[in-house]
Amino acid sequence: SGGVTAVSYSTQSNPYGLPYFSKVIASAILASNYTVNSNSVTVAVPGLSAVAYVPAGARVRVTTYVQSLTCNSGSPPGYAVVVMECSTSLAGDNVVQTTVAYNKGPFLTEYYCSPTAGTHTYLTGIKCNQNANVTLSAGAIYQSHIQVELV
């Protein structure tokens, strides 16, 4: 008498209205260098994308961190670390260099929004304002990352 008669389960991110265990809903880490010649076009960094399911009515903060950027060619450029959703730039941390082959960083770019409910893909992008190679430096100790969290 009084035993369990049925078991049910949920595949929802917060089953039965229970609180979220973590506010982080998506993240990615990059531990290797990436070089791009973007020539005034924002280019998504492979490996620095986060696919997040955003609940209805939620507000999120998208944060991307890059340890350093180095320009190795061209005249002194300006460049940016950008938070993107698919191919749309949402926020950027801009830097103008004064010399060639100069290292800048770290960069922390944040973007706050209240997106529609559903799946969203957020990315880290790099943009250079001229025809020059820009290298995002990342390694086992100095990793770059992107994170999406509920706020």
Side-chain angles (χ1 to χ4, degrees):
S1 158
V4 175
T5 58
V7 175
S8 61
Y9 64 92
S10 173
T11 59
Q12 299 299 311
S13 56
N14 64 330
Y16 311 109
L18 294 171
Y20 292 95
F21 293 107
S22 171
K23 291 186 175 193
V24 176
I25 56 175
S27 64
I29 295 173
L30 181 68
S32 60
N33 293 348
Y34 175 71
T35 299
V36 64
N37 188 310
S38 71
N39 202 10
S40 298
V41 176
T42 303
V43 177
V45 177
L48 279 181
S49 63
V51 179
Y53 179 81
V54 179
R59 183 165 168 77
V60 299
R61 174 175 54 208
V62 183
T63 305
T64 190
Y65 173 83
V66 171
Q67 176 64 28
S68 69
L69 293 177
T70 305
C71 177
N72 293 318
S73 63
S75 59
Y79 48 62
V81 174
V82 180
V83 170
M84 306 165 63
E85 182 171 4
C86 295
S87 61
T88 304
S89 295
L90 304 174
D93 187 1
N94 298 302
V95 168
V96 176
Q97 289 191 173
T98 56
T99 61
V100 176
Y102 191 69
N103 186 299
K104 288 284 191 179
F107 297 87
L108 180 67
T109 305
E110 292 183 327
Y111 179 73
Y112 291 83
C113 61
S114 298
T116 58
T119 302
H120 294 265
T121 301
Y122 296 102
L123 308 105
T124 300
I126 298 175
K127 181 178 182 179
C128 182
N129 69 354
Q130 61 180 283
N131 189 10
N133 292 328
V134 176
T135 299
L136 177 153
S137 298
I141 296 174
Y142 301 109
Q143 301 169 342
S144 295
H145 71 265
I146 186 167
Q147 178 174 289
V148 184
E149 60 187 313
L150 301 172
V151 291

